[in-house]
Amino acid sequence: MRIHAKYRQLTFISTMSIVLTFIMSGIMTYVLEGGFIAHFMSAWMRDWGIAFVIAFGLNFFLPVRVRRFANQFKKAQLIVYAFTISLIMTFILSFILTAVAMHGFAPAFASHWLGAWRIAFIIVFVLNFFLPQWVGRFVGKLIANPTKTSAGAPA
């Protein structure tokens, strides 16, 4: 199955959102629920669904703005980009996932949220150094080659 080249960005955003939220929501669920509990998988899939919808929306407008900001730092561009995008994404996602796991804003909300956010941030920060390249290569393999399709060969 090949995807038309005009859907490259949408495919990249979708794939990045799926992979990153899958990992992050698994970690957040583990931390917030206190380990591998009986309903861990159902809680993780619930959290993943919520995180995916939010991350998918954020991934449409956030990377362009963060990249513009990071471009101001010539030599540390990649580090600033990975740090900033990880900070914003995990801050928002961990806040929402903590609120869902705690069924609202309980008295210990802030401590649970910051503890889970710290772990998620470290992992997502590291992932942002290599995951976009991997996803980019994967998406590149899914995109139809325009020379083959324009020559009449099946896509």
Side-chain angles (χ1 to χ4, degrees), residues 12 16 19-20 23 126-136:
F12 179 80
M16 275 295 290
V19 173
L20 207 56
I23 295 167
V126 171
L127 286 174
N128 269 317
F129 283 104
F130 61 88
L131 191 61
Q133 289 81 15
W134 287 356
V135 170

Side-chain angles (χ1 to χ4, degrees), residues 12 16 20 67 70 75-87 121-137:
F12 179 80
M16 275 295 290
L20 207 56
R67 198 168 311 286
K75 292 184 179 183
Q77 205 170 14
L78 177 62
I79 294 170
V80 170
Y81 176 81
F83 180 84
T84 307
I85 197 92
S86 300
L87 181 74
F121 172 75
I122 291 167
I123 292 168
V124 170
F125 179 64
V126 171
L127 286 174
N128 269 317
F129 283 104
F130 61 88
L131 191 61
Q133 289 81 15
W134 287 356
V135 170
R137 278 189 237 126

Side-chain angles (χ1 to χ4, degrees), residues 44-61:
W44 181 10
M45 293 301 106
R46 177 201 64 209
D47 290 350
W48 184 30
I50 293 166
F52 173 75
V53 170
I54 295 164
F56 186 76
L58 288 172
N59 276 328
F60 266 105
F61 74 89

